[in-house]
Amino acid sequence: MVHLSLGFALGFVCSPVSQQCPSAKGFGEGGASWAATCLTPFAEKLAAFRRVVSPLLCEPFRLADGSDGQVLRPVVSSLEKLHQGDREPLYQSVYPDHPAKLKGPHKPVIVNGVLRRFLGLEVSTRPAITKFISNYVKEHDLQVPDDKTKFRPDADLRAVLDVDECTFFLISKYISPHLTKVELAGDAGQRLLEEFLSSVYGHQLPHDHPPPEQSPPNHALPDQPQPDHPPLEASAWCYGQDDIVVLRQQNGFFVDKTRFIVAMENDGSPHLVLLRPGRSGKSLLHSQMQVYHDINTNKELFDKVFINSDGSPTDAYVQSSGGTGNGARAYCVLHLDFSIQVEKGPGTLSMRQLFCNKLNRALKDFCDSYHLRVSSWVNNDALVNLEAAAVAVSAAGHQLLVLVDEYDRSFNQLMREDPASYQEAVAPACDLRPPGFLRAFYIRLKSLPRISKTRVRSFTTGIAPVALTDSSGWNVAWSLTHKEEFAECCGFSDADVERGLSQFGLTDAQYSQAMRLVRKFYNSYKFSGESKPLYLAAYIIFFFKTLHSDRRRRRAILQERDESTDAQLFHYMKDDNVSLSHNVTSVLRSSSRAAVAALQDAFQASKMLAVPLKQFESPFTLAELSPRTSPGEDLVRVAKARTFMDKSTSLVYQRALSLLFYHGVLSVREFREEDAVVVLSPPNLLLRLDHFVKLEEALQADAYFLERLIESPSCKDVTLLMDAVLHGWDSGALQLNFLFSEQCLSSTIEAAVGGWLRTQPAVNADLSTGRGRPLDLGRGKLGYYDLMLQNQSKDSRLLLELKVVRVNAIVFNDPAVSRASRSKGDYVDPAVDRYINALSDEEKLDLLLDPVWSAKHYRSCQTVREFVSLALQQLGRYHRSVGHPVRSFVVVLVGTRSLVAEYVDDHTNRSPGSRASAPPCSSARRPSP
């Protein structure tokens, strides 16, 4: 009976479907008519089938072939998926089967510039372009062998995507700059659209494919519960969108800052510079300037961008008389983005080559966009091509505007990862070599008006002034960074946030709660004395997007809570895509002790850090972050600076605080005009928590981990501490892959652990260094220990002696690893790091040392084991001089991996205060990584 019922049911359901609609498998032919005539009886038969099968699925039984009855579950699931009403076709070709379906992602777009030359098409759709590029990658064998989801574009495709490596999922993102909506192209766009429809679908539209019916709107009844998020369009909060045209097309949240564009035009200075922290909205400002000044901007596009959705004009629209004055639509605009992906490893292009290639690609697109005729083109000299493009602009009777965005992002990375390449970029000319390529670019840009005989303006944005100052060829630029009239050109004000928050339909209590949290976590970025406190744009858009799209975070943020528990919302308020810059902390830690002291002081909520106004606004070079005096004298100045902050005298300390200001770690608290001093402080709660919460998570323990470490230390616990500081901090602020001196290692631990202890006053632990506290080693000799952790009663102490073995001082058996260890100087190649990490403890200790390096730095030790033994002997002398009770450990950094060994005294039954002789090497415990 069971088998008969099943056979009857399967035939009852499936046979009529295949008979009545042979194309039901794909829903692609006659989908709407078939659904109307066939789906209703199909649903009835499906219900009858479920009534027969459901009891059988609940009780074990076997079919005629002996198989388990549970195999019917996939059958039922498949039939239910088949009945989904007006579903999209299971397979679609590149273009839909009817022009009425050309909407959403299939909406036609105008193809521009280099992408048009690559495709040979003027109009297409995003899926069609993506499929074409995907096929091109596979046909030309461009996929990465180890990961088929990635590919490396060839020269033609790289000109389109402007990346050196890409995934298939990101193709749509990188083609966006080359696409324009048809509506924005005016009559020409409509004509191209008609030609496209005619070529794809023919002059006569197919009648056997009627357009799909629109589903009726789903209006909620008055007594039905409403959703717990407001009915806003998700596109209103365009997170990460820096294209003003796309932002206005999607009716995204927009704050009118266009008055500053007109103010820059009327400033009178041909070359302007604006420095702001990352994620403050600089790229969006560039996009607005490009549309405003571009002679290719038609009236329709200008109105679309500079007239609000409610019909009100923006400030720039009014001041330019609708796009006819004040520099509107009057320039050929060359937009340059210097955020270059730094390549590492053997066989990669140098930074000079990457810079030249990117500038050449931008110049080619620029000349194509304005139909300029360049007299000559030199592939290996982009600066010559820049001059030729400027001359072509002059010949066409136009003016030139150069927009340089993210000028220092890549160079900030070079400062910490490859100082030699950084110096190559900014070095002055000498008898044997030309000037650095960044310096040469700005020298050439300064001379363009004289060469081209036309008006040339430029606007450069970045984060810090260091790279500009080092490339001192750019000494004619007028900085807007500290000018009060331009203080609010990037970022949102309090009124802007209130306007955005008012669109969520919150109750008064929820509105007050949200504004209080926003002010506490995001506010107080000030760039001038009398300016209003601002919010970084990325933080606010992230917050709005969270309230709209993340119900769990929305409930946690809007529920009533005591202000003392606000810190618990840190993970709800933090944008994981925004973190403290690796570059600023790395540069400061590797420059001087004074810079490390500034880094520590910056993260104390109660600290008011005063910097003289002259020093605060003066640019400085990378070399000026290192002290020119002796280390001892610099430390005295730091001590004075930290004691008398309003009269600080350490120039390095002041410059380090200024650098932290440029990176957004510090903000202006007040200007004291009477003594010309700027008072700095951390801007908000989010930044302070972000800096230290990661370290606490990396320690994998609560706040009292250090107390337990001091009272009962072990090699394992010391290793955990080292790994947490050097590798476990996810934000990367103190990741160690380039520091190779014991001083830098000590500064890293001091900045991380010491700064964290300052935020944990309840922890019974203190960190001290041996600087200025010599130990009496006997026989008239003095010694300085590296670091000591002790409790406040000083009855438990942990002494750390730090040593470093450079990777280029190790002799590796593998030739490839040996070459990689010497290829990047002070930078540890990832392949070398992986090789060392894979070694066992004994293998690490048995690594051979280069005789030349060993004679100079490691007392002629032949292996790492001998070097550890000598370090233990030195630690023994410190151990006896410090006094008891104390536990002493040697930490030897091999590459980026630490070996830890504990010093053990021979006289285990010694009384407190007694002295013991230095232990032989065999008395030390074996190092534990």
Side-chain angles (χ1 to χ4, degrees), residues 680-755:
L680 305 175
S681 67
N684 49 53
L685 179 63
L686 181 71
L687 193 69
R688 292 195 299 271
L689 291 177
D690 185 28
H691 191 73
F692 293 114
V693 166
K694 294 293 184 180
L695 177 61
E696 185 172 348
E697 292 176 353
L699 290 175
Q700 302 175 5
D702 57 12
Y704 301 98
F705 168 79
L706 291 180
E707 286 188 11
R708 296 194 299 272
L709 176 64
I710 296 171
E711 293 174 359
S712 57
S714 66
C715 290
K716 180 179 179 181
D717 292 335
V718 175
T719 304
L720 175 63
L721 175 66
M722 294 297 299
D723 289 344
V725 172
L726 304 182
H727 302 285
W729 202 344
D730 293 338
S731 68
L734 293 176
Q735 282 186 341
L736 186 82
N737 60 349
F738 53 92
L739 301 179
F740 295 94
S741 70
E742 293 156 9
Q743 175 185 358
C744 292
L745 179 60
S746 175
S747 300
T748 299
I749 301 174
E750 183 183 358
V753 180

Side-chain angles (χ1 to χ4, degrees), residues 446-708:
K446 182 172 64 174
S447 64
L448 284 185
R450 174 177 52 83
I451 297 173
S452 63
K453 309 301 182 183
T454 189
R455 185 187 182 194
V456 178
R457 291 183 58 227
S458 71
F459 178 62
T460 300
T461 58
I463 296 178
V466 179
L468 269 182
T469 310
D470 278 329
S471 56
S472 58
W474 200 229
N475 51 12
V476 297
W478 179 252
S479 177
L480 307 177
T481 305
H482 301 289
K483 301 298 182 287
E484 190 171 322
E485 55 269 28
F486 290 94
E488 300 178 28
C489 63
C490 292
F492 293 163
S493 66
D494 218 49
D496 300 329
V497 178
E498 290 176 352
R499 177 171 66 87
L501 203 57
S502 64
Q503 301 181 33
F504 284 85
L506 304 178
T507 64
D508 292 342
Q510 291 175 332
Y511 182 87
S512 301
Q513 167 82 354
M515 280 304 303
R516 182 179 64 80
L517 292 176
V518 167
R519 292 189 179 107
K520 189 169 186 177
F521 277 89
Y522 302 140
N523 201 4
S524 296
Y525 284 94
K526 291 183 66 176
F527 305 102
S528 181
E530 301 300 325
S531 62
K532 299 177 182 178
L534 297 174
Y535 306 82
L536 296 189
Y539 286 145
I540 299 306
I541 298 300
F542 165 78
F543 181 76
F544 288 158
K545 189 77 171 179
T546 297
L547 287 185
H548 181 273
S549 306
D550 194 327
R551 298 187 180 187
R552 178 175 58 85
R553 291 194 180 199
R554 176 187 171 90
R555 286 192 296 268
I557 291 172
L558 297 182
Q559 70 178 2
E560 294 185 10
R561 62 173 57 246
D562 187 76
E563 293 188 22
S564 61
T565 64
D566 286 346
Q568 299 175 2
L569 293 175
F570 166 73
H571 293 288
Y572 293 99
M573 302 291 290
K574 182 185 182 306
D575 181 3
D576 293 332
N577 294 326
V578 181
S579 61
L580 186 66
S581 172
H582 303 196
N583 303 315
V584 60
T585 54
S586 303
V587 169
L588 291 181
R589 288 195 327 275
S590 59
S591 59
S592 67
R593 302 273 184 190
V596 173
L599 185 62
Q600 290 179 329
D601 291 344
F603 291 94
Q604 299 185 62
S606 59
K607 278 283 185 181
M608 295 291 107
L609 308 172
V611 179
L613 181 61
K614 179 181 179 181
Q615 187 63 37
F616 177 69
E617 295 185 350
S618 299
F620 49 88
T621 64
L622 181 62
E624 290 174 341
L625 284 173
S626 300
R628 298 182 179 180
T629 58
S630 64
E633 184 180 351
D634 186 61
L635 288 173
V636 172
R637 291 187 176 185
V638 173
K640 291 181 179 179
R642 296 176 69 176
T643 306
F644 310 102
M645 283 299 167
D646 56 340
K647 303 293 183 183
S648 57
T649 58
S650 172
L651 293 179
V652 177
Y653 184 85
Q654 296 165 5
R655 291 169 186 143
L657 292 179
S658 299
L659 185 63
L660 291 170
F661 161 78
Y662 285 115
H663 281 266
V665 179
L666 295 175
S667 176
V668 174
R669 185 69 171 265
E670 64 173 323
F671 275 80
R672 297 210 300 257
E673 296 183 357
E674 62 277 6
D675 51 359
V677 166
V678 181
V679 180
L680 305 175
S681 67
N684 49 53
L685 179 63
L686 181 71
L687 193 69
R688 292 195 299 271
L689 291 177
D690 185 28
H691 191 73
F692 293 114
V693 166
K694 294 293 184 180
L695 177 61
E696 185 172 348
E697 292 176 353
L699 290 175
Q700 302 175 5
D702 57 12
Y704 301 98
F705 168 79
L706 291 180
E707 286 188 11
R708 296 194 299 272

